[in-house]
Amino acid sequence: MPARSSFSLDELAATIAARFDEAQKSLANHRKNCVALHKLHVQASKVKNTVGGHDILEGELAFGDTFIEMLNRTLAMKKGAFADRIVRFVGSYVKMVNDKGKSHCWSITFASRFVTRLLEWLFRGFKAKNKMVRQRSIQLAIEMMANIGEIDESTYNHLRDNLIERLCDKEPLIRAHAAIGLSKLVGTEDPEELGQGEKTCLDLLLECVQYDTAAEVRRAVLINLPVTPETLSIIITRIRDTDTLTRKLAYSSVLEPKLAHPRHLTIAQREDITKVGLGDREAVVRVAAGKMISKWLDIAMSELDPQGQPPQTWVGDDGGIMKGFINFLAFFDVVGPGEVVAVDAMLSVFTTRPALLDAFVFNDDFWAELTPESAVLARVFVDQCIESKSENRLEDASIPVVTAFAFHIQEAYNALLSLMQEMDFLNVGEPDDEESEAREEELAKKELILGELLRIALKLDYMDEIGRRKVFSVVKDMLAHPHLPPGLIEYCLDVLSKILPSERELIRIVVEIIIELRDDDDAEPAIDDNFDGSRSDITQSSRKERSMRRTRDRQDMTSEEQQQSDLTDMRCLVLCIGMLERVNGTFEDNSTLEGVLTDLIIPAVKRKELALREKGLVALGLCCLIARNMAINSFQLFLNQVQTAPEDLKLKVLQIVFDLLIMYDRDFLGRSEQIVSASCSQQIISFLIQTLDSEESPAIQCVLCIGMCKLLLSGQVTESKVLLSLVLTYVSPSTIDNAELKQCLSYFFPVYCYSSRENQNRMQSIFIDAFYLATQMHEVLDNEQEEDPRLVSLHQFGLLMIDWMDMTKLAGKVPLPQPTDRNPHADLAVNILLALYDSERDDDTRKAFVQFLSHLQFFPSKEIGLRLDNRTILKLHILIQNLQDVSEKFVRSLTVYILIMSFNCSNVHSAIRHSIAPSNVSRIVF
């Protein structure tokens, strides 16, 4: 006999439907409806039948059937709050069923059977043809997985396999949901049980976050990936994602909340995510990166008080903010290239939390215990106060006056000298020696500290004459030291440039130092501590009669002396280059430079040693920038060096060549007939083009392209062949790996063409030749090269050039058209139609030309104001009517296009009828 129960199944469907109906209206009643539904579920589970000695769970089956039927009505629903609430309701109910099962041992199998059956039913929806059914099925499965409890191995494998399969769904939203579901299985699988070559869930997600074409899929994976040492390097790649929101979420939803401490990253990774985030082109990404960096500061400050004791800081550092910043800067390599990134990070914090600047106080203890981090902190604080015009903060922060600050510079310099003497500087020891490496690192730290102090000195007020003289004495002493680290020379020269009254004094001081360095006498250079920096008369120098020329020839020196002489010359050339970079007057106004040129620069240019010759050429180039006649006489020398020099030297020489061309364009580019002929100008341009065509070095290609772009954009060069050379370089397969060159030209062409009508006409004049030469380049490519996505196809190339010639995109205020102005698209149409008459052109080229015609703007907007002249209309009409090699359909469509787009069709017909005498054609208005 079947078991009987007082519970009736007849009302089960109506009761469950009522609960679902209430659940879809509001999230607030989900708890109440879950309790009622579970009570109903328990009652139904007690209804059983016995058939053949076996119990049949009739009530459970009936409840499950009704529950699934309710869900079935939801699966095909489109986006909406009702369906989403049902999904949430199902997840809540599954959680309750499992929680009750854990508290009542008798219902564990009851809950497991319900969940397993529900999942098996959802698996069928994973493969449905309807995309909404697939999406809802996965959503329901994900909602259940958070509280799914224990399931058997077969159901787990089925769930995993189905999610992996949906990871390849054609719908991005479904792939995103599948990725979310798969992320919940990460760490639950046993790699040993996987088949050979089978990837784990984590491996699949890492591939998905990098290579899925849909941004929403990459975002879904990114947010749900666990942050572990294994995944961190892949997560960091998303800070360069093409999608703005993905880049933002990488910072705001992953790196900021999930990364417990920045030291879980390597120093290189910290610097990379900081540099990329703060330098992003989108403000939302920069804000997200700034919030992450601000959190890093909070972490650094929390480390000051690890045991609950007051932080150990100096007097005046209220709250340990300055100490916290120093700890914060320790997250970066401020002694190396990470200094720039660390400074950007600090400036970001100052921007988001400007009130922190008011807590800075630099007392004597701070300057007595300088570290690389604290030195950078002080320099950035001073820069920020001056840039924000908050000089009063400098006084409130107790920044020392010039005289006191000069003593801090002297102390840092003495510490550097002491360490250099201890290391014996020129004989440090074996490179692999640990002690030697530690001393080298300590030397780099002291060099950074001194450099930061010199940079602070640039911002100080030098109204105090005593302090100015003291700073001058210290800085001059530093420059005169033969072994001062090269990185400090620039800072010393900057300080001298500021505190000296004129360029002539700067030149005189540097020349004196060079003479002392080149003096054969081994005595230490005598420094004039009583020098009055206000003097500007060079005749007051006691050393004016001393020559820079050495008393002994190089042939009379031993090999050791020659080596020492070369090192001294290198130091002198570096000083000379730094000085010349800060000179704005003419060479003739500074006669002291004659001796430097004759005795130092010219001999260095003639040397065979590459390093000395490079420094000599750079110094000569700087002299030429302030001496016109010298530039004219030396220009051929630089061109000869371009032809024969190795790559590193050729880079420097080409930069000099372009600087001279821009500086003296009238002399070298044929604008002054008294100086240079037009043929000489053409020779220079041809030389540059040939060099670009034959050059294989990516770095030199970039220098050539950047220089030629500057000449074109400034209007100093107008030859179309230069533009043609750049266009072909842009589409050439040989430059496909030169990202810097591509970026430069991608920016240049639109800026150049959209800046004026003349530039667009110049681009139009080279279109046919450029397309023909680009076609020849593509003919020699193999299949693999043709399929490279980085390669600009011929069709893309043509459309790009047409876009650059679009008059509607002219930037700024468009000038009124002149009678001589041309319509580049109309002229291009004439050139294309003429090219179609060429019987030697292949069918693919003709087909491409026909396609380009449909993209031309014959009749621009009224704002452009440029009209199409009658003669051009007649040319188009005659060329189309007599063209036999193009389909009749195309000829008819283009003719109708010209007629319909005109505002006065009768005038067009009149122009056509009087084509024999174009001078009689009345004016046509478009």
Side-chain angles (χ1 to χ4, degrees):
M1 292 292 294
R4 296 188 179 275
S5 173
S6 60
F7 176 76
S8 174
L9 298 178
D10 296 338
E11 299 178 357
L12 186 63
T15 306
I16 295 177
R19 297 304 174 191
F20 270 83
D21 184 59
E22 288 186 18
Q24 71 178 343
K25 294 178 182 178
S26 173
L27 296 175
N29 59 33
H30 280 194
R31 174 67 181 174
K32 178 192 71 173
N33 284 294
C34 284
V35 172
L37 197 60
H38 183 262
K39 182 178 179 181
L40 191 65
H41 196 174
V42 172
Q43 291 176 339
S45 66
K46 297 178 181 179
V47 179
K48 303 177 182 179
N49 273 332
T50 303
V51 179
H54 298 283
D55 288 338
I56 298 177
L57 306 176
E58 183 180 356
E60 272 191 45
L61 293 174
F63 182 89
D65 291 340
T66 306
F67 194 93
I68 289 174
E69 183 182 352
M70 295 296 105
L71 285 182
N72 202 32
R73 300 176 184 180
T74 307
L75 291 182
M77 291 180 64
K78 295 183 179 180
K79 293 181 180 179
F82 295 118
D84 292 338
R85 289 171 188 154
I86 292 298
V87 172
R88 295 279 299 275
F89 177 66
V90 172
S92 300
Y93 182 67
V94 170
K95 180 180 184 303
M96 177 172 286
V97 169
N98 280 292
D99 290 345
K100 295 289 186 180
K102 294 175 183 178
S103 59
H104 300 86
C105 295
W106 61 270
S107 62
I108 292 179
T109 55
F110 153 72
S112 177
R113 287 194 300 270
F114 173 75
V115 172
T116 300
R117 183 184 178 191
L118 196 54
L119 282 174
E120 292 293 342
W121 173 76
L122 289 175
F123 293 156
R124 295 165 55 191
F126 279 29
K127 301 179 181 180
K129 291 184 178 181
N130 188 315
K131 64 180 181 181
M132 288 307 304
V133 174
R134 298 199 303 274
Q135 178 183 330
R136 290 294 181 202
S137 298
I138 297 175
Q139 281 183 293
L140 284 163
I142 292 172
E143 197 68 33
M144 293 170 58
M145 288 171 66
N147 306 284
I148 203 170
E150 294 184 3
I151 57 175
D152 59 81
E153 184 177 353
S154 175
T155 304
Y156 171 85
N157 291 334
H158 203 178
L159 173 63
R160 180 181 180 277
D161 293 342
N162 276 279
L163 288 173
I164 291 175
E165 184 179 353
R166 287 306 97 203
L167 208 58
C168 301
D169 197 283
K170 63 181 180 180
E171 296 294 331
L173 193 56
I174 295 176
R175 297 202 302 273
H177 285 303
I180 295 172
L182 211 57
S183 67
K184 299 181 182 299
L185 299 181
V186 170
T188 62
E189 55 194 350
D190 187 356
E192 296 181 357
E193 296 180 359
L194 299 177
Q196 186 175 3
E198 188 176 359
K199 297 179 180 178
T200 64
C201 295
L202 184 59
D203 293 335
L204 293 170
L205 291 175
L206 292 177
E207 289 183 0
C208 191
V209 77
Q210 296 179 86
Y211 306 120
D212 197 288
T213 56
E216 57 264 44
V217 180
R218 299 196 300 273
R219 289 196 294 267
V221 180
L222 178 66
I223 295 174
N224 290 278
L225 270 177
V227 178
T228 64
E230 184 180 5
T231 63
L232 204 48
S233 59
I234 304 299
I235 290 173
I236 292 175
T237 63
R238 293 307 92 205
I239 64 177
R240 290 183 170 86
D241 197 281
T242 55
D243 178 65
T244 301
L245 183 55
T246 304
R247 299 198 302 274
K248 173 183 177 294
L249 291 175
Y251 288 98
S252 62
S253 298
V254 182
L255 293 175
E256 179 190 350
K258 296 183 180 180
L259 191 65
H261 199 289
R263 287 200 175 92
H264 292 163
L265 301 164
T266 64
I267 292 180
Q269 287 175 332
R270 289 175 227 154
E271 293 175 352
D272 185 42
I273 64 177
T274 302
K275 178 181 177 180
V276 173
L278 296 179
D280 197 278
R281 60 182 177 271
E282 299 293 340
V284 291
V285 181
R286 296 196 297 270
V287 170
K291 290 181 179 178
M292 178 199 70
I293 292 169
S294 184
K295 179 185 175 183
W296 287 5
L297 175 63
D298 294 335
I299 293 173
M301 294 183 65
S302 67
E303 292 180 343
L304 297 176
D305 188 18
Q307 287 84 28
Q309 299 296 325
Q312 298 297 318
T313 62
W314 50 78
V315 177
D317 184 15
D318 294 337
I321 291 176
M322 295 176 67
K323 276 284 189 179
F325 268 108
I326 291 174
N327 283 359
F328 171 76
L329 289 172
F331 294 154
F332 307 93
D333 182 18
V334 296
V335 181
E339 180 192 359
V340 177
V341 182
V343 170
D344 289 342
M346 277 191 63
L347 294 176
S348 172
V349 175
F350 289 155
T351 302
T352 56
R353 301 162 72 174
L356 294 178
L357 289 167
D358 297 328
F360 281 64
V361 176
F362 299 91
N363 58 16
D364 294 338
D365 293 339
F366 177 88
W367 301 108
E369 303 172 0
L370 279 177
T371 64
E373 291 78 16
S374 60
V376 171
L377 174 68
R379 194 260 300 176
V380 175
F381 173 80
V382 172
D383 288 347
Q384 179 68 11
C385 290
I386 293 177
E387 289 178 9
S388 62
K389 298 182 179 179
S390 304
E391 288 84 354
N392 57 318
R393 274 182 173 154
L394 295 178
E395 185 176 351
D396 295 340
S398 300
I399 294 294
V401 295
V402 173
T403 304
F405 202 82
F407 284 99
H408 292 312
I409 296 176
Q410 182 71 64
E411 291 173 2
Y413 178 49
N414 292 340
L416 179 68
L417 289 180
S418 298
L419 183 60
M420 290 166 59
Q421 292 173 358
E422 181 183 346
M423 296 172 61
D424 195 19
F425 195 71
L426 297 178
N427 187 17
V428 180
E430 294 297 328
D432 295 334
D433 182 59
E434 292 184 3
E435 184 178 355
S436 175
E437 291 180 0
R439 288 179 177 176
E440 287 286 354
E441 184 177 354
E442 186 64 24
L443 180 65
K445 291 180 179 180
K446 293 191 178 301
E447 180 183 343
L448 175 72
I449 292 171
L450 183 54
E452 294 300 300
L453 292 178
L454 290 171
R455 295 172 76 175
I456 295 174
L458 281 173
K459 309 293 183 179
L460 300 180
D461 184 1
Y462 285 92
M463 297 299 292
D464 178 8
E465 182 65 19
I466 296 176
R468 187 182 68 83
R469 291 191 179 195
K470 178 60 179 175
V471 171
F472 168 79
S473 176
V474 174
V475 173
K476 184 182 176 185
D477 188 22
M478 291 169 60
L479 277 176
H481 196 286
H483 303 307
L484 180 73
L488 296 175
I489 293 178
E490 295 288 328
Y491 299 141
C492 290
L493 289 172
D494 286 336
V495 174
L496 284 183
S497 297
K498 178 170 182 178
I499 64 178
L500 290 176
S502 66
E503 289 182 355
R504 296 187 67 184
E505 286 298 330
L506 174 65
I507 294 172
R508 188 180 74 81
I509 295 300
V510 174
V511 170
E512 280 189 4
I513 292 172
I514 292 174
I515 291 174
E516 294 289 352
L517 289 172
R518 288 170 61 89
D519 197 336
D520 291 340
D521 191 356
D522 293 333
E524 288 294 324
I527 304 301
D528 185 7
D529 292 337
N530 297 321
F531 169 74
D532 181 0
S534 63
R535 295 179 302 177
S536 59
D537 186 359
I538 194 170
T539 60
Q540 294 184 27
S541 172
S542 62
R543 301 182 179 88
K544 76 167 190 174
E545 300 298 333
R546 294 180 59 182
S547 171
M548 193 177 296
R549 187 172 301 171
R550 286 196 170 92
T551 57
R552 288 196 301 166
D553 292 335
R554 183 177 176 81
Q555 293 79 5
D556 299 333
M557 300 179 183
T558 64
S559 58
E560 291 79 7
E561 289 175 336
Q562 290 179 354
Q563 184 179 5
Q564 182 61 41
S565 173
D566 291 345
L567 291 174
T568 301
D569 285 349
M570 280 292 294
R571 170 54 59 97
C572 294
L573 285 168
V574 170
L575 284 170
C576 181
I577 290 171
M579 172 192 66
L580 290 170
E581 288 175 342
R582 290 159 178 81
V583 173
N584 296 314
T586 64
F587 194 88
E588 292 76 11
D589 292 338
N590 298 282
S591 58
T592 314
L593 294 175
E594 290 284 355
V596 177
L597 177 66
T598 304
D599 298 333
L600 177 64
I601 298 176
I602 297 299
V605 171
K606 296 178 180 179
R607 293 291 295 271
K608 295 181 179 180
E609 292 80 5
L610 183 60
L612 282 170
R613 185 150 51 101
E614 176 185 325
K615 295 296 183 184
L617 287 169
V618 172
L620 180 60
L622 290 169
C623 289
C624 290
L625 289 177
I626 59 175
R628 174 175 170 272
N629 292 332
M630 187 188 304
I632 295 173
N633 296 330
S634 305
F635 191 75
Q636 189 60 46
L637 167 66
F638 293 120
L639 293 183
N640 294 337
Q641 291 291 327
V642 172
Q643 294 176 313
T644 59
E647 179 178 346
D648 292 340
L649 181 57
K650 187 182 292 187
L651 272 174
K652 296 290 186 182
V653 176
L654 278 173
Q655 291 171 345
I656 296 170
V657 167
F658 282 113
D659 285 344
L660 295 180
L661 288 176
I662 293 173
M663 185 73 178
Y664 305 109
D665 60 310
R666 291 181 177 273
D667 299 323
F668 294 120
L669 299 175
R671 297 196 174 193
S672 176
E673 296 181 358
Q674 297 178 352
I675 303 299
V676 65
S677 64
S679 60
C680 182
S681 171
Q682 293 299 318
Q683 289 175 1
I684 294 173
I685 293 172
S686 298
F687 173 79
L688 294 176
I689 293 174
Q690 291 172 5
T691 304
L692 178 60
D693 293 341
S694 60
E695 187 57 56
E696 296 181 356
S697 167
I700 296 178
Q701 287 176 346
C702 286
V703 171
L704 283 163
C705 284
I706 292 172
M708 293 165 76
C709 288
K710 289 179 179 180
L711 292 173
L712 282 170
L713 198 57
S714 63
Q716 294 171 313
V717 168
T718 57
E719 282 77 358
S720 297
K721 60 182 180 181
V722 179
L723 185 61
L724 176 61
S725 178
L726 291 178
V727 168
L728 293 177
T729 302
Y730 180 61
V731 299
S732 173
S734 62
T735 61
I736 197 170
D737 295 319
N738 196 338
E740 184 179 356
L741 181 145
K742 293 284 188 181
Q743 184 178 16
C744 167
L745 294 179
S746 295
Y747 176 81
F748 164 73
F749 287 125
V751 171
Y752 175 75
C753 292
Y754 298 157
S755 61
S756 71
R757 292 192 180 110
E758 292 78 8
N759 293 345
Q760 289 187 329
N761 289 329
R762 201 168 290 120
M763 181 66 74
Q764 175 270 321
S765 67
I766 68 169
F767 178 88
I768 299 298
D769 292 339
F771 193 84
Y772 174 69
L773 294 173
T775 302
Q776 290 182 323
M777 290 180 183
H778 280 254
E779 287 176 353
V780 299
L781 298 178
D782 54 33
N783 293 334
E784 183 177 351
Q785 289 175 315
E786 288 181 348
E787 295 175 357
D788 194 323
R790 298 172 299 172
L791 182 66
V792 179
S793 68
L794 292 174
H795 184 69
Q796 291 173 328
F797 174 49
L799 294 181
L800 276 173
M801 292 194 70
I802 289 173
D803 182 73
W804 296 334
M805 290 179 259
D806 188 350
M807 290 185 298
T808 62
K809 295 186 178 181
L810 285 171
K813 185 177 180 180
V814 180
L816 293 175
Q818 301 299 319
T820 57
D821 287 343
R822 304 292 303 170
N823 184 323
H825 276 193
D827 291 341
L828 179 59
V830 172
N831 292 341
I832 288 177
L833 290 172
L834 286 172
L836 290 174
Y837 280 87
D838 189 352
S839 59
E840 295 183 359
R841 299 191 185 275
D842 55 43
D843 292 340
D844 290 338
T845 302
R846 294 187 178 194
K847 181 180 178 181
F849 282 163
V850 171
Q851 293 173 339
F852 294 152
L853 284 170
S854 63
H855 293 275
L856 300 179
Q857 297 277 352
F858 288 166
F859 308 98
S861 62
K862 294 182 179 180
E863 289 77 7
I864 301 298
L866 193 60
R867 299 172 178 176
L868 203 62
D869 63 284
N870 297 343
R871 187 181 295 275
T872 302
I873 295 176
L874 290 174
K875 286 181 181 180
L876 291 172
H877 174 75
I878 294 171
L879 289 171
I880 293 171
Q881 290 297 326
N882 294 280
L883 193 59
Q884 302 296 325
D885 295 336
V886 183
S887 67
E888 181 182 352
K889 178 181 179 182
F890 167 70
V891 174
R892 184 170 61 252
S893 63
L894 186 57
T895 304
V896 172
Y897 174 74
I898 295 176
L899 296 178
I900 292 178
M901 290 301 293
S902 65
F903 292 160
N904 193 336
C905 292
S906 61
N907 283 351
V908 176
H909 288 294
S910 175
I912 294 172
R913 288 197 303 272
H914 295 83
S915 59
I916 298 177
S919 60
N920 298 327
V921 178
S922 60
R923 187 172 183 82
I924 302 174
V925 181
F926 293 95

